[in-house]
Amino acid sequence: MSGNWLLPAETTSSGRPVLQPAEVESSLQPSVDLVNEENPNLPIFKSGLLILTTYRLLWLPNPESTTSAPTSTAVAVPLAAITHIFQSKKSIKGMFASPRVRFQVSVTPDGKVQERGSKSIVITLVFRGKSDPDSFVVKLNEAWRGRAWVGAVSASGAGQSSTPAVLGDSGGSSSSNTGLALKMPVVGVSGILRKEQEMWESTDKSLQDAFQDLNALMTKAKDMVILAEKMRQKLLSSSNSQSNSTNDEETASKEEMQEWMLSVGIVSPVTKESAGALYHQELSRQLADFVKTPLERAGGIMNLIDIYCLFNRARGTELISPDDLLRACSLWDKFNVPVMLKKFESGVMVIQNKSHSDEEVFSRIRSLVQKPDAMKTGISATDAARTLGIAPAMAKEHLLAAESKGFLCRDVSPDGFRFYINIFQDIDPNDVYLVKEYGVYDAWNRAAIASR
Amino acid sequence: MQTLGEHKLPHFFNYPPYFTLQPVRETREKQIQVWKELILDYCRTQKVFIIGLEQDFPLFSNPAIERSLNHEAREAFLSALVLDGRAEWMDKSHRQCLILWHRIKDWADIILRFVNENGLEDSVMTIEEIRSGIESRGTDIHGMDRTVLMRALKLLENKGKLAIFKGTSTDDEGVKFSV
């Protein structure tokens, strides 16, 4: 019998757990063993990373100690299946052994962990690292009693159901708010307007409450994400139903709004509080997962500053410092992630896909500057950015790299900073009037004469 | 082909980067080399001896493409000529540059040839006669810079080919050839 008495847990390619919607990590503990006490014959999950979320207990194998793919052995215990958490007993003996935390879970008759199972077993966690099991137990209790998963099931249900249900839901909440007030009949345009007004007021209130202080915001974080999701749904539905009547501008602004909504959220940011000593490592993995989408959109390469802004915007309240970001990026060398940090000669730092090759960009620049128009007027960083589909700052770095290889020449004038194909190598210093009938000088000359 | 006065210009005179000092070493070396050739060639055909860095010098700008050399670039190209011995700064602040499109010893040879061709081996001439007299017309000596001429004559004097004598004013400074 193998480890399939526990539920499998999905992980990303960089070894971060895949969390469910609105699931939040609350504690990370390194080097933890997970032992089934009832049946010692079962394989012990040895010295892995234990992650406590608001929904589950996740156990991930230590990436340094295993050679197999980490996805194959990551397991989870749903908090819903936990029936009892034992208080840890303080004893003299316990002072020398590794600290242990024991809890009871319900299982199916054949020993699989399941919510509302008929039998129950005891699982022991052994903390081998330098960690603080007491605070972990507190957090485990908090999460277990918080029963966040109960709300989640209904929330996801509402998200999946049709849009009118969502609207009805918000309408219901507003009517319950005004339950004590004199109820006005909802009639005609003014009724709709009033209803709209009420809805905005309640939204406004929850926004204001959220910004009272950061703690309040954290408790409201889940509501905010739900709110954002609702607004997205509403936007989607209205753009569908009114697609005929709305003009392009409105559709564009709605799409923009949707983008913002989508970028609202990493629901469970890795924080110093939850990850402790593992902070930079976990941050690094989370970052690697996060940058994939923006990188793809930006053509495989992005400025570190842009990533910093995007990442912090996605994190919402748990902002990281530039220093933390840099450390997280420099840890990528140690993990098997598809992205890398690169430093240009000018000092500009970028994040790029490992598959992204400078050679390819170089050859694209080569073909760009050899077009007749570019021969004649040169190319600016903006032109290159447009053609290559990358940010102008990045394009400039690539152009400067091509220049330092002697392939391009610069032209600095009141018109701006432009690059031309380098023809100096084809000019004969002994006879400056000679134009050989081949090579770039000749090609440039033809382009220049043709334009005159 | 574009011209500047009577001087023919090479095609790359319309190449905008030609007027920006290139930062990459290899490219810059090539650029400087090409500029040196063009400056000497232009000065030779136009009989220009002095380039003032702060004055308009026709070669240093191209109105057709609206580009001109900045001060740094001008100084870089002229300094390269100075290093080659084909030019000299006339002041410490590098405001004026004397262009030696013939080196001083080449000038001395040209003067000797001029003396031989005109049968002046034992005659006396004033400096002004050499620079603007009938005999020198049509040669490189005609209209040459006084400073450059004096230095070429001094070189010949040291070799014993002539004697310079001072008059009451610079106008009647003269030489006696004894080739």
Side-chain angles (χ1 to χ4, degrees):
Chain A
M1 214 172 144
S2 63
N4 61 10
W5 56 282
L6 290 168
L7 299 179
E10 256 185 277
T11 57
T12 64
S13 56
S14 69
R16 286 271 306 150
V18 176
L19 300 182
Q20 291 161 16
E23 184 175 8
V24 180
E25 282 179 5
S26 58
S27 179
L28 278 86
Q29 303 287 334
S31 320
V32 176
D33 294 355
L34 197 153
V35 186
N36 184 339
E37 291 220 333
E38 314 295 303
N39 190 350
N41 297 332
L42 290 176
I44 294 171
F45 294 94
K46 256 193 135 33
S47 194
L49 174 66
L50 187 75
I51 302 174
L52 171 68
T53 75
T54 47
Y55 293 5
R56 293 176 295 172
L57 256 180
L58 297 160
W59 184 92
L60 278 68
N62 188 348
E64 278 96 47
S65 67
T66 55
T67 47
S68 60
T71 36
S72 59
T73 45
V75 293
V77 178
L79 292 186
I82 296 180
T83 48
H84 184 70
I85 298 170
F86 297 101
Q87 290 297 316
S88 53
K89 284 165 269 178
K90 291 256 189 286
S91 67
I92 307 265
K93 193 182 146 209
M95 283 183 71
F96 301 103
S98 299
R100 282 154 201 270
V101 173
R102 299 167 69 233
F103 58 89
Q104 195 175 42
V105 293
S106 65
V107 291
T108 55
D110 56 343
K112 283 191 180 163
V113 172
Q114 200 191 40
E115 214 177 317
R116 287 188 287 276
S118 54
K119 284 167 68 181
S120 67
I121 56 164
V122 175
I123 292 177
T124 303
L125 301 172
V126 185
F127 293 82
R128 302 203 177 279
K130 282 178 192 163
S131 54
D132 181 10
D134 291 341
S135 72
F136 175 77
V137 172
V138 172
K139 279 180 180 160
L140 178 60
N141 269 306
E142 251 173 37
W144 182 49
R145 301 215 174 95
R147 300 176 69 79
W149 58 90
V150 177
V153 175
S154 69
S156 64
Q160 280 157 9
S161 68
S162 59
T163 319
V166 175
L167 291 177
D169 182 11
S170 61
S173 69
S174 77
S175 66
S176 68
N177 283 344
T178 52
L180 293 173
L182 195 67
K183 269 213 169 175
M184 302 280 277
V186 182
V187 177
V189 178
S190 67
I192 295 169
L193 281 176
R194 191 160 48 75
K195 197 149 188 182
E196 198 79 347
Q197 175 82 17
E198 277 166 12
M199 221 181 94
W200 275 118
E201 272 168 10
S202 74
T203 311
D204 195 40
K205 193 165 173 296
S206 67
L207 277 172
Q208 273 178 2
D209 286 353
F211 285 104
Q212 286 285 319
D213 61 52
L214 283 177
N215 278 335
L217 184 58
M218 281 313 285
T219 58
K220 289 262 177 192
K222 200 173 138 191
D223 294 343
M224 298 315 285
V225 174
I226 292 170
L227 182 69
E229 179 66 17
K230 262 184 201 165
M231 283 166 93
R232 194 178 70 85
Q233 290 277 358
K234 193 171 175 186
L235 282 167
L236 268 176
S237 70
S238 60
S239 67
N240 284 343
S241 61
Q242 297 169 10
S243 56
N244 298 331
S245 55
T246 48
N247 56 32
D248 290 343
E249 203 180 319
E250 258 183 274
T251 329
S253 75
K254 268 177 189 151
E255 273 169 12
E256 204 181 347
M257 188 75 187
Q258 273 178 36
E259 290 239 322
W260 289 345
M261 291 300 173
L262 285 174
S263 65
V264 160
I266 295 176
V267 184
S268 174
V270 173
T271 63
K272 272 189 174 144
E273 204 182 321
S274 71
L278 294 166
Y279 177 61
H280 285 112
Q281 229 184 70
E282 287 304 304
L283 186 66
S284 177
R285 291 168 189 275
Q286 187 173 55
L287 186 61
D289 293 337
F290 172 79
V291 296
K292 267 181 220 156
T293 328
L295 264 188
E296 242 165 59
R297 205 171 300 167
I301 185 160
M302 259 182 117
N303 208 324
L304 196 60
I305 297 162
D306 295 341
I307 291 283
Y308 179 70
C309 295
L310 281 175
F311 192 51
N312 262 343
R313 192 170 68 175
R315 288 173 68 92
T317 54
E318 297 288 350
L319 303 185
I320 61 164
S321 72
D323 198 42
D324 283 340
L325 181 80
L326 192 57
R327 266 212 256 174
C329 293
S330 43
L331 281 175
W332 281 342
D333 291 345
K334 295 184 188 161
F335 310 132
N336 184 23
V337 291
V339 286
M340 59 184 272
L341 180 70
K342 186 184 163 181
K343 196 169 179 180
F344 278 102
E345 273 172 43
S346 62
V348 171
M349 284 191 276
V350 295
I351 288 173
Q352 65 177 37
N353 278 331
K354 277 184 180 158
S355 57
H356 181 93
S357 89
D358 288 351
E359 289 305 314
E360 192 202 316
V361 174
F362 186 64
S363 72
R364 283 169 75 187
I365 288 177
R366 188 196 299 264
S367 67
L368 178 61
V369 290
Q370 288 185 344
K371 286 180 185 155
D373 270 356
M375 284 264 196
K376 192 180 72 196
T377 60
I379 54 169
S380 66
T382 325
D383 297 337
R386 207 171 295 140
T387 317
L388 302 174
I390 55 180
M394 287 297 73
K396 190 168 174 184
E397 292 300 329
H398 283 300
L399 289 173
L400 289 174
E403 184 198 32
S404 68
K405 285 181 190 162
F407 180 66
L408 297 178
C409 284
R410 67 174 61 184
D411 163 40
V412 183
S413 72
D415 298 347
F417 195 158
R418 303 183 78 80
F419 288 91
Y420 286 74
I421 193 161
N422 186 354
I423 64 165
F424 285 116
Q425 72 231 12
D426 270 19
I427 300 173
D428 186 349
N430 298 317
D431 182 3
V432 290
Y433 301 97
L434 179 75
V435 183
K436 289 177 215 149
E437 285 184 8
Y438 53 88
V440 281
Y441 184 18
D442 181 50
W444 171 81
N445 200 29
R446 282 165 201 270
I449 288 170
S451 70
R452 228 170 276 148
Chain B
M1 195 177 279
Q2 208 176 345
T3 59
L4 196 63
E6 288 154 25
H7 185 76
K8 281 201 308 180
L9 287 168
H11 289 293
F12 58 77
F13 201 65
N14 283 325
Y15 178 58
Y18 187 59
F19 289 88
T20 298
L21 191 58
Q22 297 299 319
V24 178
R25 199 172 58 90
E26 221 164 286
T27 313
R28 182 193 284 225
E29 276 168 8
K30 192 79 194 207
Q31 183 190 22
I32 288 176
Q33 204 176 10
V34 175
W35 263 107
K36 284 193 302 201
E37 289 302 320
L38 189 65
I39 292 171
L40 287 180
D41 199 47
Y42 179 80
C43 289
R44 192 178 298 127
T45 57
Q46 303 299 304
K47 287 190 181 292
V48 176
F49 286 88
I50 294 170
I51 297 178
L53 259 74
E54 274 140 43
Q55 289 145 19
D56 285 336
F57 184 59
L59 200 62
F60 286 169
S61 59
N62 183 358
I65 56 166
E66 295 175 338
R67 294 290 185 276
S68 60
L69 288 182
N70 62 18
H71 190 275
E72 187 199 358
R74 291 173 190 210
E75 195 170 333
F77 300 143
L78 291 175
S79 293
L81 278 177
V82 172
L83 271 179
D84 284 2
R86 304 307 297 269
E88 281 167 19
W89 293 112
M90 298 173 76
D91 50 357
K92 273 188 179 164
S93 50
H94 293 188
R95 272 202 297 268
Q96 282 198 315
C97 192
L98 185 70
I99 308 296
L100 299 170
W101 33 275
H102 291 311
R103 292 163 203 272
I104 297 292
K105 70 172 174 51
D106 295 337
W107 276 115
D109 290 345
I110 290 166
I111 291 167
L112 281 186
R113 206 179 310 136
F114 162 74
V115 169
N116 287 333
E117 279 167 9
N118 289 279
L120 299 164
E121 281 90 346
D122 286 311
S123 34
V124 174
M125 282 184 97
T126 65
I127 306 296
E128 278 312 304
E129 268 180 316
I130 299 174
R131 283 183 65 219
S132 48
I134 303 165
E135 291 87 349
S136 67
R137 212 165 275 174
T139 67
D140 281 351
I141 297 172
H142 195 81
M144 80 183 271
D145 182 74
R146 195 184 168 87
T147 329
V148 179
L149 178 58
M150 286 312 290
R151 287 193 24 209
L153 292 176
K154 285 241 172 66
L155 183 73
L156 288 174
E157 189 183 33
N158 288 345
K159 285 183 177 173
K161 305 275 186 187
L162 54 79
I164 302 172
F165 51 87
K166 294 210 158 54
T168 45
S169 70
T170 48
D171 281 355
D172 29 85
E173 257 183 311
V175 288
K176 174 160 197 323
F177 297 111
S178 51
V179 181

